[in-house]
Amino acid sequence: MSLLLALLAIIFAGRLILKKYHPQSVLLLTGIVLLLIAHFSGMTTLSSLVKKSTGFGPFDAFEFIRDTLSVRLGGLGLQIMLIGGFATYMSAIGASQVLVRVTSRPLQRLNSPYLLLGLALLLGQFLSLFISSATGLGLLLMATLYPLLTRLGCSRAAVAAVIASTCAVEFGPGSGNSVLAAKTAGIEVVNYFVQDQLPIVVPVILFIALLHIVVQRFFDRREIGDNVAQQMQTLTSSDEADAPIAWLFLPMLPLVLMLVCSDLVFSSLKITLDTAVLISLAITLIFEYCRHRKARDVMAGVQKVFDSMGSVFATVVTLIIAGEVFSAGLKAIGAVDALLSLSGEFGLSAASIILLMTLITFAISALMGSGNAAFFSFAPMVPDISRHIGSDIAVMMLPIQISAGIGRTLSPIAGVIIAIAGIAGVSPVDIVKRTAIPMLGGWLLMIALTFARSGHLLAILPWLAVLVLLMVAGYFWQRRRKQPLAVQ
């Protein structure tokens, strides 16, 4: 019964979100309904979920939302809002643009277009550590790398596909998903980044870059009828701020401060992510005053940080809270316990359940064009399952978190895909066709590496084999279906 209710709730919420209903409202409403069902059916006493009961069970569902708001706004929510505000300010003063422009210069010395495509992906993933917005980074790269790569002979679609993939693997302290994953796992985000993410994402990113080189070359040769000369475009960024070259270091300050003030360098210094952002903002304001010598203008720039923080709260933090309420509803009706019990009856390991949640997150992200709703809904369940199988929470959290970003890159309705497709003058579907193999290959490698590191690879090998067979079968089926059209 619990699993049936959970399935109906997921289908209901997913259907509404796909119909463009606001995900925050959908997840919040569904979560409240599940909590009330759990209360009136006697599955859970809602007073046990709140810090202080209101004395009336149905009201405790809303008291739980209040508790979640108060906890998240003072911790995780504040960190994510500060990250978003700082990133917006870096773009406003031109620091992000300088960082992209300077780091992309060495690529101009190479004459191999497809090698450049692979290096461009690596550069973009590196820059994603400091520019957290996938769409923002994509647009900056379209203004800098896109003209260079198209002049060297790469097709518009190939360059657009690579640039759209530059934020596919979300990692680093600047990612909101990474911050939530670290908080849920109960560890510092810098430790999660260095100890858990880097050993997995580095080989995955390299593999995706290699796949992009092969895949884009294959597609370009197959579509050789497209006139390359007509593809060459020169993009200009008319609103790009003219910042000094030294400003390229400013977006890196929060990450540098967190790495320095940790056990990796100075163990006696301990600062949190939000403190690192505030210190970086103060240093930036000093730099800006030395640059303009106008205190009024510099102080006015701080308002952009606060405005962006409000926007991040409205879009990201509220989605996290709504996802937690939805997750709490699933837990309250006993869905997690029932899933674990069912896995035992059918001889499934709990690692297989994590793989299932990873697959669901990946699929929902690809369908909706955003991985946040899926990840924020399932992330709170991971600790219970990880403790059940005796595995590290962070290790089990990682495949679900990374799947959200990779799945988004396979969606033709994702914001970054639509924006890049519009500038390049190609169809979003054409971009997704070119990102499919690199993203799926990187996703499978990420799963294999993650579960091998946690010691549960053997438990999921049969499922991985089935996934690979389904992907190969789907590819050949689609290819065979198109053959009659090609003959005509």
Side-chain angles (χ1 to χ4, degrees):
M1 182 64 180
S2 296
L3 289 179
L4 178 61
L5 280 175
L7 181 61
L8 291 175
I10 292 173
I11 293 174
F12 172 77
R15 185 174 178 82
L16 290 184
I17 292 174
L18 286 175
K19 287 186 175 182
K20 305 301 181 182
Y21 284 73
H22 287 200
Q24 288 94 326
S25 302
V26 172
L27 293 174
L28 200 61
L29 172 64
T30 310
I32 292 173
V33 171
L34 289 175
L35 288 172
L36 293 177
I37 290 175
H39 171 75
F40 287 113
S41 64
M43 296 178 180
T44 301
T45 303
L46 295 186
S47 59
S48 63
L49 302 179
V50 298
K51 295 180 180 178
K52 185 178 180 180
S53 176
T54 62
F56 182 53
F59 287 174
D60 284 338
F62 299 92
E63 182 70 12
F64 174 78
I65 299 175
R66 191 208 70 84
D67 288 346
T68 305
L69 274 167
S70 63
V71 171
R72 289 307 185 196
L73 286 179
L76 174 66
L78 176 61
Q79 291 181 350
I80 294 177
M81 286 189 290
L82 282 170
I83 290 171
F86 184 75
T88 299
Y89 188 53
M90 288 297 101
S91 180
I93 65 176
S96 295
Q97 291 87 329
V98 172
L99 175 62
V100 173
R101 187 170 65 246
V102 172
T103 52
S104 63
R105 282 178 184 170
L107 299 184
Q108 301 178 21
R109 300 178 182 179
L110 299 175
N111 293 321
S112 175
Y114 295 101
L115 177 60
L116 270 175
L117 284 178
L119 293 176
L121 180 93
L122 299 180
L123 172 63
Q125 284 285 180
F126 169 73
L127 292 174
S128 69
L129 285 169
F130 317 109
I131 304 174
S132 56
S133 169
T135 303
L137 176 59
L139 294 178
L140 286 174
L141 293 175
M142 287 297 288
T144 51
L145 287 182
Y146 180 82
L148 167 66
L149 295 172
T150 52
R151 288 193 194 102
L152 288 174
C154 295
S155 68
R156 293 196 305 253
V159 181
V162 169
I163 291 178
S165 304
T166 51
C167 275
V169 183
E170 293 188 7
F171 69 111
S175 165
N177 284 359
S178 295
V179 176
L180 174 62
K183 283 285 184 182
T184 306
I187 60 177
E188 291 293 331
V189 65
V190 68
N191 293 333
Y192 178 64
F193 165 56
V194 175
Q195 298 173 6
D196 296 295
Q197 288 185 327
L198 282 182
I200 302 298
V201 301
V202 169
V204 168
I205 291 172
L206 291 173
F207 185 59
I208 291 176
L210 178 62
L211 288 178
H212 261 302
I213 293 173
V214 176
V215 169
Q216 304 316 322
R217 184 182 180 90
F218 167 78
F219 272 96
D220 283 352
R221 287 186 171 182
R222 194 176 71 170
E223 301 169 5
I224 197 168
D226 194 7
N227 188 356
V228 174
Q230 294 178 355
Q231 297 175 5
M232 298 180 184
Q233 295 183 3
T234 301
L235 299 180
T236 58
S237 181
S238 57
D239 58 347
E240 181 175 314
D242 184 22
I245 192 171
W247 264 233
L248 70 92
F249 296 104
L250 295 179
M252 304 181 186
L253 280 177
L255 177 61
V256 172
L257 283 172
M258 291 199 67
L259 291 175
V260 170
C261 300
S262 68
D263 294 336
L264 301 174
V265 183
F266 296 110
S267 57
S268 59
L269 296 176
K270 298 288 184 182
I271 62 172
T272 59
L273 176 59
D274 37 3
T275 302
V277 173
L278 290 171
I279 294 173
S280 302
L281 179 59
I283 294 173
T284 302
L285 292 176
I286 295 173
F287 273 59
E288 280 291 282
Y289 177 76
C290 294
R291 173 187 173 189
H292 297 290
R293 298 289 181 179
K294 295 179 180 179
R296 186 188 302 272
D297 293 344
V298 173
M299 292 182 181
V302 181
Q303 185 61 39
K304 296 179 180 179
V305 178
F306 299 140
D307 291 341
S308 181
M309 288 177 65
S311 176
V312 171
F313 169 77
T315 56
V316 179
V317 179
T318 55
L319 186 56
I320 291 176
I321 294 168
E324 288 201 44
V325 174
F326 179 73
S327 176
L330 293 178
K331 287 183 179 179
I333 62 174
V336 175
D337 293 336
L339 190 61
L340 291 172
S341 175
L342 186 66
S343 67
E345 293 178 8
F346 283 90
L348 298 177
S349 66
S352 300
I353 299 176
I354 292 290
L355 178 62
L356 177 62
M357 294 172 64
T358 300
L359 179 61
I360 292 174
T361 302
F362 180 80
I364 292 177
S365 300
L367 288 172
M368 296 193 306
S370 171
N372 288 346
F375 177 63
F376 294 161
S377 299
F378 293 131
M381 303 181 189
V382 176
D384 291 340
I385 299 175
S386 297
R387 282 190 288 267
H388 180 81
I389 63 176
S391 179
D392 183 75
I393 299 176
V395 173
M396 290 291 97
M397 184 76 71
L398 189 60
I400 301 175
Q401 181 234 312
I402 296 180
S403 291
I406 295 179
R408 178 193 61 208
T409 314
L410 289 173
S411 173
I413 62 173
V416 61
I417 300 290
I418 293 174
I420 291 174
I423 294 176
V426 298
S427 167
V429 175
D430 289 337
I431 293 180
V432 170
K433 286 179 180 177
R434 289 171 172 262
T435 61
I437 294 177
M439 291 299 104
L440 289 172
W443 182 66
L444 290 173
L445 177 62
M446 179 273 297
I447 291 175
L449 292 175
T450 303
F451 282 89
R453 191 162 177 256
S454 64
H456 296 96
L457 180 60
L458 291 178
I460 65 162
L461 272 181
W463 302 109
L464 281 182
V466 171
L467 283 175
V468 172
L469 288 175
L470 288 175
M471 291 177 185
V472 173
Y475 169 76
F476 283 108
W477 176 79
Q478 187 178 27
R479 187 176 179 181
R480 184 176 180 180
R481 190 181 64 170
K482 290 182 178 180
Q483 281 180 351
L485 297 177
V487 172
Q488 293 175 0

